[in-house]
């Protein structure tokens, strides 16, 4: 996430420079990229705030207990 934050900060600087220089096409492109980067950062923050482990429970071997793969079927 630090790399994406760095990219986002750089985009903000580039956006301001494009506005100052009057580069309207560049401003529009950077706005689109900024919106996508902000959305990705938000998704990453949401993901980071959720638990990282999943409880799978204990396996239940009772159903298979006593069976053998070498038993002959009559």
């Amino acid at each position: 996430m630090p790399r994406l934050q760095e990219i986002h900060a750089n985009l903000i600087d580039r956006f301001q420079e494009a506005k100052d220089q009057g580069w309207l096409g560049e401003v529009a492109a950077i706005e689109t990229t900024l919106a996508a980067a902000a959305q990705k950062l938000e998704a990453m923050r949401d993901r980071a705030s959720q638990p990282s482990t999943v409880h799978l429970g204990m396996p239940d071997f009772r159903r298979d207990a006593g069976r053998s793969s070498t038993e002959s079927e009559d």
Side-chain angles (χ1 to χ4, degrees):
M1 193 160 39
R3 177 71 178 129
L4 187 56
Q5 290 171 330
E6 181 181 324
I7 290 168
H8 188 263
N10 181 269
L11 283 168
I12 292 171
D13 293 341
R14 287 180 50 206
F15 177 76
Q16 188 59 50
E17 179 185 7
K19 281 180 69 175
D20 292 345
Q21 296 296 327
W23 301 331
L24 300 180
E26 188 72 14
V27 168
I30 294 172
E31 282 179 323
T32 302
T33 307
L34 268 171
Q39 184 179 19
K40 183 67 174 182
L41 275 170
E42 184 65 29
M44 290 174 75
R45 286 184 186 114
D46 288 346
R47 179 71 177 126
S49 69
Q50 295 184 9
S52 61
T53 58
V54 176
H55 178 67
L56 299 176
M58 291 295 295
D60 185 5
F61 296 109
R62 290 177 288 183
R63 180 177 59 92
D64 297 322
R67 292 188 181 175
S68 171
S69 61
T70 60
E71 290 180 12
S72 63
E73 295 183 20
D74 296 309

